[in-house]
Structure formats: C-alpha cells, structure tokens
C-alpha cells in the first residue's frame, strides 16, 4: 500500500458511550429524580423533566455466541426501542419508553429461554472472570461454576425474596480478579507447585519468578546441572502467583485445587467503608460439571441470610450484627484452623477504604 493511501491510526480505547444511549437517557443525563421498581426485572426511571424510561433486565450466559446475540438484539429491535446495554454481571438491559411494550418484551425473552429478573432485593447474576476462555492461570472455569449455580438460584433471580440485593462472584484463580462479593466462590490451591525442572531454563525468566513470590519462598537452584528454581514448601502459601510467569511451576491439580467460599465483601463506600470478604468454607471439591458441593454451601448461606437478616441488611452487615460465631452456628459450617488469619504481613493498616490518605 502506498504511503498516501494509509489511513491515520484510530485511537483505541473505550468509545464514547453517549452515542449508544437511548435518546431519553441522553436528554436527561444527570437529571434523574427517582426510580421505582414496577416488578421483578423492570426499573422505571423518572427525570426532573417528567420523562420516564423503563429498563427490562434479563440474565444471559455471558459468553455469548453470535446466534444468541442476534436473537437478543432482534428482540430489542422488535419489542423495545432498539437500545440495549450489558451490565458487569452479564445481564442484558433493554430500554423502553412505552410502558405497553414491557409485557410483550418480557414474553419474547421468556419464549426464547431468557430469564427476566435480577433487580432490587434479588440474587442478581453471578459475575465471573474469564477462565479457560482467555486467561493463562485458571485453576477452574468460573463460567461453569456460574452456570450451574444460577440454575439452582433461578427463583432467587426472578423474585424479590432476599433481605437486600445479593452479589455473588466467582474467580478462576486464587490471586487476581474475582472480587468482594456478598458471597464469593474462589479457587483455593492446597499444595505447593510441582516444578518441571527440564523446562524452567527454556521458559521462565528466573529473576521475575523469584520476585513474584509474595512470601519469598522461591530461590534459584541448579537441578541436574540445569538452572532451575526451588520452593521452600514451609513458606509457600500455595497462591499460584508463580505459575503465570513460569508455567513449569504447575500448581493446578485435579485433586488438590479446590474451591473456597468467602462472605461479606463490599466494594462500595455507600453506607460503610469497603470490607474484605472472610473465608467461611474451604477445601470444597472442584467438581465439574455441576459443582454440587459448592452450590449446596451457597444455598445454605442464602437460606440463613434470608431467614435471619433484617430488611435491607446486606450479607456482610447481617454477619457484622450477629457476629461470626453466630454465623457458623446458624449455617452449621465447620469452623476450622484454616479460618484463623495468622499472617502477619496483613497488618491492621491494609488499605480497606477507597478514601485517599496522605
Ligand atoms: S480470576 Fe485469575 S485465572 Fe481467572 S481471569 Fe482473573 S486472573 Fe485469569
Ligand atoms: S505458590 Fe505462591 S507462595 Fe508458593 S512459591 Fe508460588 S508464588 Fe510463592
């Protein structure tokens, strides 16, 4: 291609969202007065100007194939105003200004097998990380856990029967994304990595692997005359952080990579400062394709929360009020030595607030 024909580069990054917004939303941006919840899965926002817009929310499988995407967008064109957005929890939201379109839109979604709900005091779709799809360190496939868990929680998604909204997260490794959900299902490695010494010098930059370990458990070593690494297993906390820069340090294991359930995390600063989640169940079998043991624990926690929490208490607030001993009493989950955090590196000053401090 001749230089003269080359186009100038397009800045990459997030495109301007306003161009995709429903015109009613654009007109009233920043000028909303209040919102109501006419029924599960439907929101109604009212602007200072008196204009109204309805949102209909449905759960999706998140990893969407092109056929489902066409189906979902065709429903939007036919039954809504042609405007959609996806939420961080893989829900699709349709914007409609004509109230009469809501029921036909819901029927069209349900006829195609999509479930409408996830608003107000429901269990909204679980959020999940990428798993096998694109990441290099998963110990499980978060999307599989999500699918099997949401199948079990469909009634909690379609109705308002929880004390407050419940956000559940999953993550496919022990160290990176995932999140501070009301309930989180995270991978838990329970054995140090097994090192394939024949590969280390070909694949790994040893200084960066040594630097990566949070507890300084990795040292350079010569093994069978080849440069390799060794792990002080007494120090290793089985976090898996060495595996991404050095795949020969294999930590995933069909038997010893488990799941753990954590409770009471919160990102926002809305009513109290953000909170870290706490471990409540460890070494749960990572048991595809339906993960029945993990699902049973999550359902048990939700049942106790539903029966015992006050109106509008989030899971973390409920536990804070009743105390952890009572939480373990109510749920019947065993309290073991693994629940005791004796890691001195955490210190009381670990930043648990999003406020900037100087
Ligand atoms: S949770 Fe871990 S494995 Fe999963 S996408 Fe995030 S970094 Fe990758
Ligand atoms: S698993 Fe974590 S603690 Fe153990 S050696 Fe690897 S980086 Fe260090």
């Amino acid at each position: 291609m001749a230089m003269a024909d080359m186009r100038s580069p397009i800045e990459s990054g997030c495109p301007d969202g306003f161009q995709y917004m429903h015109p009613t939303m654009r007109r009233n941006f920043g000028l909303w007065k209040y919102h109501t919840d006419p029924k599960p899965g439907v929101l109604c926002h009212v602007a200072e100007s008196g204009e109204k817009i309805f949102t209909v929310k449905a759960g999706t499988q998140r990893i969407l194939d092109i056929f489902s995407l066409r189906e979902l967008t065709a429903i939007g064109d036919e039954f809504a105003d042609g405007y959609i957005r996806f939420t961080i929890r893989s829900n699709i939201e349709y914007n409609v200004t004509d109230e009469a379109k809501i029921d036909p839109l819901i029927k069209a979604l349900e006829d195609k097998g999509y479930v409408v709900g996830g608003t107000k005091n429901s269990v909204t779709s679980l959020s999940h990380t990428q798993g096998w799809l694109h990441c290099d360190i998963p110990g499980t496939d978060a999307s599989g856990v999500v699918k099997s868990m949401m199948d079990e929680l469909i009634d909690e998604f379609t109705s308002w029967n929880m004390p407050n909204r419940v956000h559940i997260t999953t993550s496919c490794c022990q160290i990176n994304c995932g999140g501070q959900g009301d309930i989180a299902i995270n991978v838990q490695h329970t054995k140090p990595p097994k090192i394939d010494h024949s590969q280390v010098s070909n694949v790994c930059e040893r200084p960066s692997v040594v630097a990566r370990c949070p507890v300084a458990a990795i040292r350079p070593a010569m093994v069978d005359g080849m440069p390799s690494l060794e792990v002080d297993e007494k120090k290793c906390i089985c976090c898996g952080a060495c595996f991404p820069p050095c795949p020969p340090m294999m930590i995933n294991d069909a038997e010893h990579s488990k799941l753990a359930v954590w409770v009471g995390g919160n990102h926002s600063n809305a009513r109290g400062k953000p909170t870290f989640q706490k471990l409540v169940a460890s070494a749960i079998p990572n048991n595809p394709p339906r993960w029945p043991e993990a699902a049973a624990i999550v359902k048990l926690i939700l049942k106790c929360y539903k029966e015992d929490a006050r109106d509008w208490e989030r899971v973390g607030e409920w536990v804070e009020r009743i105390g952890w001993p009572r939480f373990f009493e109510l749920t019947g989950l065993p309290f073991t030595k693994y629940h005791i955090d004796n890691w001195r590196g955490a210190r009381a000053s670990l930043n648990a607030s999003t406020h900037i401090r100087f």
Side-chain angles (χ1 to χ4, degrees), residues 129-131 134-139 142 170-178:
T129 48
Q130 305 302 330
H134 93 157
C135 198
D136 59 354
I137 44 174
T170 57
S171 78
C172 30
C173 71
Q174 199 171 285
I175 48 168
N176 287 343
C177 25

Side-chain angles (χ1 to χ4, degrees), residues 5 18 80 84 124 219 259:
D5 296 329
F18 277 82
I84 59 159
T124 189
R219 285 186 296 252
L259 295 184

Side-chain angles (χ1 to χ4, degrees), residues 193 213-215 217-218 231 236-242 251:
C213 179
V215 292
I218 308 176
V231 171
C236 174
I237 54 170
C238 311
C239 67
C242 48
I251 191 154

Side-chain angles (χ1 to χ4, degrees), residues 268-291:
S268 79
N269 264 10
R271 289 191 291 189
K273 66 180 184 180
T275 50
F276 286 119
Q277 53 207 2
K278 306 259 190 315
L279 177 79
V280 296
S282 63
I284 306 163
N286 187 4
N287 193 4
R290 304 299 297 178
W291 289 272

